[in-house]
């Protein structure tokens, strides 16, 4: 199991130092919110660029923004290794997926808790990441919505059946208990914000989620 700490729950005044406390992380999860697609604001590409030189770990950029195509170049140039956008925000996902691949960036599609897997099925053969939101996007520290486990199971079944190569990522409300539930349905990567950053020993928390 890979672990992607979400810096949304970290101290924004000390991002460089915060990144040094999560050396056991596999990816760094970066939540970009626009106050339009979700009712909260975080930061944009300049902040991603600013922290790029402070860690070698892959940047997993999660765009919770309307019109992601408008900002794709900026987030690519800022040093994102993966860029995940929401299926609810685009009419032609294939164009964005192709553009990301052209720039050697991994392409991800995300689903809000109520969006069904069938909405992304035509693109599953092309993408590298499927991010299942297990809380309504917008805020850290919410409770895991158990109903979303069925979607992870479905994505895991489809992956096996068709030999797809995407990684199944879950985001929201992850702790030791929900991590086990996700592992049991075939999830590959756990995003966790508060569970990791609210603890003193962040690496110990990361190790616990890996079990
Ligand atoms: C929510 C974000 C998540 C969030 C998870 O919209 O996409 O990445 O940081 O936070 P926790 O782990 O606290 O639920
Ligand atoms: Zn996220």
């Amino acid at each position: 199991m890979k672990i992607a700490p979400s810096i949304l729950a970290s101290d924004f005044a000390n991002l460089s130092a915060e990144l040094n406390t999560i050396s056991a992380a596999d990816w760094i999860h970066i939540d970009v919110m626009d106050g339009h697609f979700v009712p909260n604001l975080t930061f944009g590409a300049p902040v991603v660029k600013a922290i790029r030189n402070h860690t070698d770990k892959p940047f997993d950029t999660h765009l919770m923004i309307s019109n992601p195509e408008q900002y794709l170049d900026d987030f690519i140039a800022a040093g994102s290794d993966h860029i995940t956008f929401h299926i609810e925000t685009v009419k032609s996902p294939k164009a964005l997926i192709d553009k990301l691949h052209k720039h050697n960036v991994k392409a991800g599609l995300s689903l809000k808790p109520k969006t069904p897997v069938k909405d992304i099925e035509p693109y599953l053969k092309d993408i590298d990441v499927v991010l299942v939101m297990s809380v309504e996007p917008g805020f850290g520290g919410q409770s895991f919505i158990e109903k979303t486990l069925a979607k992870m199971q479905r994505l895991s079944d489809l992956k096996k059946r068709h030999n797809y190569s995407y990684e199944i990522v879950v985001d929201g409300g992850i702790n030791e208990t929900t991590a086990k539930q996700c592992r049991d349905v075939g999830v590959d990567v756990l995003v966790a914000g508060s569970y990791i950053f609210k603890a003193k020993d962040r690496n110990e928390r990361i190790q616990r989620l890996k079990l």
Side-chain angles (χ1 to χ4, degrees), residues 3 23-25 202-211:
I3 309 299
S23 54
R202 280 90 182 257
N203 284 324
E204 192 252 346
R205 286 278 165 118
I206 293 171
Q207 297 301 353
R208 277 206 232 175
L209 290 181
K210 284 192 181 187
L211 296 179

Side-chain angles (χ1 to χ4, degrees), residues 2-195:
K2 289 182 189 164
I3 309 299
S6 164
I7 59 166
L8 182 64
S10 72
D11 177 0
F12 284 3
N14 292 295
L15 280 174
S16 179
E18 291 286 75
L19 289 169
N20 279 326
T21 68
I22 51 170
S23 54
D26 296 283
W27 301 349
I28 308 297
H29 186 81
I30 301 177
D31 286 311
V32 178
M33 306 185 189
D34 67 350
H36 185 260
F37 177 64
V38 289
N40 196 9
L41 288 162
T42 53
F43 45 72
V47 172
V48 179
K49 188 168 180 232
I51 59 172
R52 184 59 285 186
N53 293 330
H54 294 261
T55 174
D56 293 332
K57 298 203 185 279
F59 276 4
D60 180 47
T61 302
H62 178 193
L63 298 181
M64 286 164 275
I65 64 176
S66 303
N67 298 323
E69 53 270 61
Q70 192 179 341
Y71 300 98
L72 220 52
D73 286 324
D74 293 345
F75 285 100
I76 293 169
S80 303
D81 296 278
H82 322 147
I83 296 182
T84 294
F85 55 95
H86 273 260
I87 189 67
E88 303 89 356
T89 62
V90 282
K91 284 202 187 81
S92 312
K94 188 66 168 60
L96 278 77
I97 294 164
D98 289 346
K99 176 163 189 174
L100 291 170
H101 285 159
K102 206 176 97 199
H103 290 273
N104 286 320
V105 174
K106 292 198 167 160
L109 274 172
S110 184
L111 299 162
K112 292 211 261 185
K114 290 190 191 98
T115 304
V117 169
K118 76 165 169 37
D119 288 12
I120 59 166
E121 263 192 59
Y123 314 105
L124 290 178
K125 63 177 183 346
D126 302 312
I127 57 180
D128 309 288
V129 161
V130 179
L131 179 73
V132 179
M133 287 303 307
S134 41
V135 299
E136 286 299 332
F139 300 92
Q142 304 180 76
S143 302
F144 186 85
I145 301 170
E146 298 217 349
K147 269 191 175 171
T148 60
L149 286 163
K151 287 201 281 192
M152 300 169 214
Q153 181 72 67
R154 169 99 183 118
L155 285 161
S156 171
D157 292 345
L158 287 168
K159 183 175 164 176
K160 276 190 208 121
R161 189 182 317 154
H162 300 284
N163 214 10
Y164 290 145
S165 56
Y166 56 78
E167 291 186 276
I168 305 169
V169 184
V170 60
D171 185 6
I174 293 299
N175 55 39
E176 277 165 80
T177 311
T178 55
K180 281 197 196 84
Q181 293 175 289
C182 294
R183 187 191 53 205
D184 290 347
V185 294
V187 165
D188 304 296
V189 187
L190 301 170
V191 173
S194 19
Y195 178 76

